[in-house]
């Protein structure tokens, strides 16, 4: 993970957009069950690396757009992503220096809470909650986390900001 | 680096906790308003226009592949397809002739009985967008919205039978729920004897269950289920499914009956939006959908 240099607005917006597209991209058959929570991962990444630009407000807005895109209750994903951003911002200094495996584990914990919030709201709103299969994306996201970090770090370096800090 | 040093060491404005609390309250309020039917319709419409480009972008590779598939086919394949279509059309036309006679006879008989005749249904072809809304529910996105006259509770048909109904009509697109979704129920009747039942989705695309048929109900494997039109949101008389299994356990009050939808729910690309008779007025569609969605 690179240091705290500001990333341009368009870069953040672009990654969020890509995450949104990936979240509704049709996947063949059973693979759709293991789709990582791309948007949540991107939100965590930006909260950890660029908190000046990416605060709870932006995370919340991303959630609202996600809700509109997926047709869920307006505010459902917003609340879940708000929680994610809170955790990421609150424990930013600790999580940033974790080794990547430990980071993945932390991300999995955050996403488990995120999923819990989503399931809880589904339950209150009489939407079928889908059972234990809801936990697969959490696992998939934890596996995808190193890739997200690697990819986004690379993108930021190529765009001239974020001098690499070893470790 | 100069610029960075000029930034205040501590962020001014409300603290993280305060901002969180404010936004959490906002999302709770939004959810409550959204849950209580349609208070946020205008916001939803605006947002649906915002996310429309994303939906189109996701759908684009798939529709492009389809377009290429249609445009880059060779002559012989096209001729063969044309021929088979012509045969099918001839067949359909022949059936239609008989249907016209039967329909006229039906209208005459209804006139004799002084009951109101069925109004012919108006349909509009709509395409399913390749957008994966939700992996846990059977919901689809179609490319027609309120701009095209779609409304909440409107029935969707495919060439074979009933597919589902619209749950949210937005400006440019609409969301629909398939009849196989566990939260969907559809009033049906058995075509052979007019026995009424409710077909509830099972979560499996190839199975519907009919939970409230008593053990002595006259239902057999192979019976065709058609929509009864009783809930008010589905037009009457369209095929829904075929009974696949009937299990009668003398210890249970109800038989375990399952049916298979006649429409290929996972293979359809195009669906028909149906307007049956007069469009619903005011909140009537919401009421009728509530009727159609759950057994009382």
């Amino acid at each position: 993970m690179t240091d705290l240099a500001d990333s341009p607005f368009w870069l953040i917006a672009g990654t969020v957009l890509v995450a949104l597209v990936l979240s509704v991209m049709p996947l063949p058959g059973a693979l759709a069950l293991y789709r990582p929570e791309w948007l949540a991962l991107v939100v965590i990444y930006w909260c950890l690396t660029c908190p000046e630009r990416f605060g709870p407000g932006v995370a919340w807005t991303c959630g609202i757009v996600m809700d509109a895109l997926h047709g869920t209750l307006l505010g459902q994903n917003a609340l879940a992503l708000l929680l994610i951003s809170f955790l990421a911002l609150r424990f930013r200094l600790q999580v940033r220096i974790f080794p990547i495996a430990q980071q993945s584990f932390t991300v999995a914990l955050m996403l488990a809470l995120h999923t819990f919030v989503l399931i809880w709201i589904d339950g209150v709103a009489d939407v079928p909650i889908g059972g234990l299969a809801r936990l697969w994306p959490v696992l998939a996201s934890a596996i995808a986390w190193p890739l997200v970090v690697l990819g986004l770090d690379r993108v930021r370096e190529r765009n001239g900001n974020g001098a690499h800090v070893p470790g | 680096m100069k610029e960075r040093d000029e930034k205040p060491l501590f962020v001014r404005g409300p603290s993280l906790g305060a901002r969180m609390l404010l936004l959490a309250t906002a999302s709770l309020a939004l959810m409550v308003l959204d849950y209580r039917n349609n208070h946020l319709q205008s916001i939803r419409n605006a947002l649906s226009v915002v996310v429309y480009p994303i939906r189109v972008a996701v759908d684009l590779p798939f529709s492009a592949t389809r377009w290429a598939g249609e445009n880059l086919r060779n002559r012989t394949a096209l001729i063969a397809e044309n021929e088979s279509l012509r045969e099918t059309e001839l067949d359909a036309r022949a059936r239609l002739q008989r249907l016209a006679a039967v329909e006229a006879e039906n209208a005459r008989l209804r006139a004799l009985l002084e009951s109101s005749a069925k109004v012919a249904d108006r349909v509009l072809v709509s395409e399913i967008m390749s957008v994966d809304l939700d992996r846990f529910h059977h919901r689809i996105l179609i490319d027609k919205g309120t701009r095209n006259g779609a409304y909440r509770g409107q029935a969707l048909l495919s060439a074979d039978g009933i597919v589902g109904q619209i749950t949210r009509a937005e400006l440019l697109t609409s969301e629909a729920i398939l009849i196989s979704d566990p939260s969907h129920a559809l009033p049906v009747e058995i075509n052979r004897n007019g026995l009424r039942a409710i077909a509830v989705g099972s979560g499996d695309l190839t199975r519907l269950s009919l939970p409230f048929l008593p053990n002595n109900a006259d239902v057999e494997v192979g019976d065709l289920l058609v929509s009864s039109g009783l809930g008010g949101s589905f037009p009457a008389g369209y095929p829904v499914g075929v009974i696949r299994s009937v299990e009668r356990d003398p210890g249970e009050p109800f038989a375990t009956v399952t049916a298979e939808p006649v429409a290929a729910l996972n293979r359809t690309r195009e669906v028909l939006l149906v307007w049956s008779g007069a469009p619903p007025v005011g909140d009537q569609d919401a009421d009728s959908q509530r009727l159609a969605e759950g057994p009382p």
Side-chain angles (χ1 to χ4, degrees), chain B residues 5-64:
Chain B
D5 292 339
E6 281 165 6
K7 280 193 176 169
L9 188 55
F10 298 103
V11 187
R12 277 171 302 181
S15 70
L16 181 60
R19 273 186 293 169
M20 299 294 303
L21 206 63
L22 188 75
L23 288 169
T25 318
S27 38
L28 283 176
L30 271 179
M31 275 187 279
V32 170
L33 283 178
D34 198 21
Y35 186 55
R36 308 230 170 261
N37 285 339
N38 291 336
H39 283 309
L40 299 176
Q41 194 57 44
S42 47
I43 301 181
R44 276 265 181 207
N45 272 338
L47 280 171
S48 78
V49 175
V50 172
V51 296
Y52 186 66
I54 302 182
R55 288 171 165 171
V56 171
V58 170
D59 185 50
L60 196 65
F62 297 91
S63 42

Side-chain angles (χ1 to χ4, degrees), chain B residues 111-187:
Chain B
L112 281 178
L113 290 168
E114 288 185 358
S115 66
S116 60
K118 257 173 54 183
V119 187
D121 300 330
R122 185 164 73 86
V123 296
L124 175 69
V125 177
S126 160
E127 210 158 286
I128 298 180
M129 295 177 87
S130 296
V131 172
D132 209 356
L133 284 182
D134 197 330
R135 63 204 88 118
F136 300 107
H137 314 131
H138 295 174
R139 293 186 303 149
I140 53 172
L141 193 72
I142 57 172
D143 68 346
K144 296 283 184 292
T146 47
R147 199 182 48 154
N148 308 92
Y151 58 90
R152 184 161 177 260
Q154 188 171 25
L156 294 182
L157 305 180
S158 77
D160 305 310
I162 289 187
V163 171
Q165 64 174 317
I166 291 183
T167 47
R168 178 180 298 125
E170 290 164 349
L171 193 62
L172 303 168
T173 52
S174 299
E175 262 175 57
I177 186 170
L178 297 180
I179 55 172
S180 58
D181 188 285
S183 64
H184 190 267
L186 163 70

Side-chain angles (χ1 to χ4, degrees), chain A residues 15-36:
Chain A
T15 53
V16 166
L17 207 61
V18 169
L20 283 170
V21 166
L22 284 175
S23 77
V24 286
M25 184 72 86
L27 289 176
L31 217 58
L33 274 181
Y34 305 98
R35 181 202 305 273

Side-chain angles (χ1 to χ4, degrees), chain A residues 1-80:
Chain A
M1 198 160 285
T2 50
D3 86 332
L4 293 172
D6 277 352
S7 292
F9 168 77
W10 61 263
L11 190 61
I12 296 181
T15 53
V16 166
L17 207 61
V18 169
L20 283 170
V21 166
L22 284 175
S23 77
V24 286
M25 184 72 86
L27 289 176
L31 217 58
L33 274 181
Y34 305 98
R35 181 202 305 273
E37 300 277 357
W38 294 114
L39 187 62
L41 291 179
V42 167
V43 166
I44 295 176
Y45 179 86
W46 287 122
C47 282
L48 292 181
T49 54
C50 200
E52 306 94 332
R53 289 288 177 94
F54 207 101
V58 186
W60 189 80
T61 315
C62 292
I64 289 287
V65 176
M66 178 93 164
D67 283 324
L69 185 63
H70 284 252
T72 43
L73 268 184
L74 214 56
Q76 182 173 12
N77 276 300
L79 187 64

Side-chain angles (χ1 to χ4, degrees), chain A residues 30-159:
Chain A
L31 217 58
L33 274 181
Y34 305 98
R35 181 202 305 273
E37 300 277 357
W38 294 114
L39 187 62
L41 291 179
V42 167
V43 166
I44 295 176
Y45 179 86
W46 287 122
C47 282
L48 292 181
T49 54
C50 200
E52 306 94 332
R53 289 288 177 94
F54 207 101
V58 186
W60 189 80
T61 315
C62 292
I64 289 287
V65 176
M66 178 93 164
D67 283 324
L69 185 63
H70 284 252
T72 43
L73 268 184
L74 214 56
Q76 182 173 12
N77 276 300
L79 187 64
L81 285 179
L82 189 67
L83 179 72
I84 285 253
S85 72
F86 175 72
L87 293 174
L89 291 170
R90 180 74 184 67
F91 299 106
R92 185 167 65 85
L93 298 178
Q94 285 99 314
V95 176
R96 272 174 49 82
I97 55 169
F98 281 169
I100 195 75
Q102 203 175 343
Q103 267 185 10
S104 276
F105 182 71
T106 318
V107 164
L109 284 184
M110 288 183 190
L111 279 164
L113 272 175
H114 166 267
T115 307
F116 175 75
V117 169
L118 292 181
I119 292 181
W120 176 62
I121 295 169
D122 274 351
V124 172
D126 296 333
V127 178
I129 55 175
L132 277 176
R134 286 287 281 260
L135 290 178
W136 287 119
V138 174
L139 200 66
S141 307
I143 295 170
W145 172 250
L147 300 176
V148 171
V149 171
L150 211 68
L152 290 183
D153 273 356
R154 181 72 59 83
V155 169
R156 289 175 69 212
E157 276 163 33
R158 190 164 301 170
N159 285 286

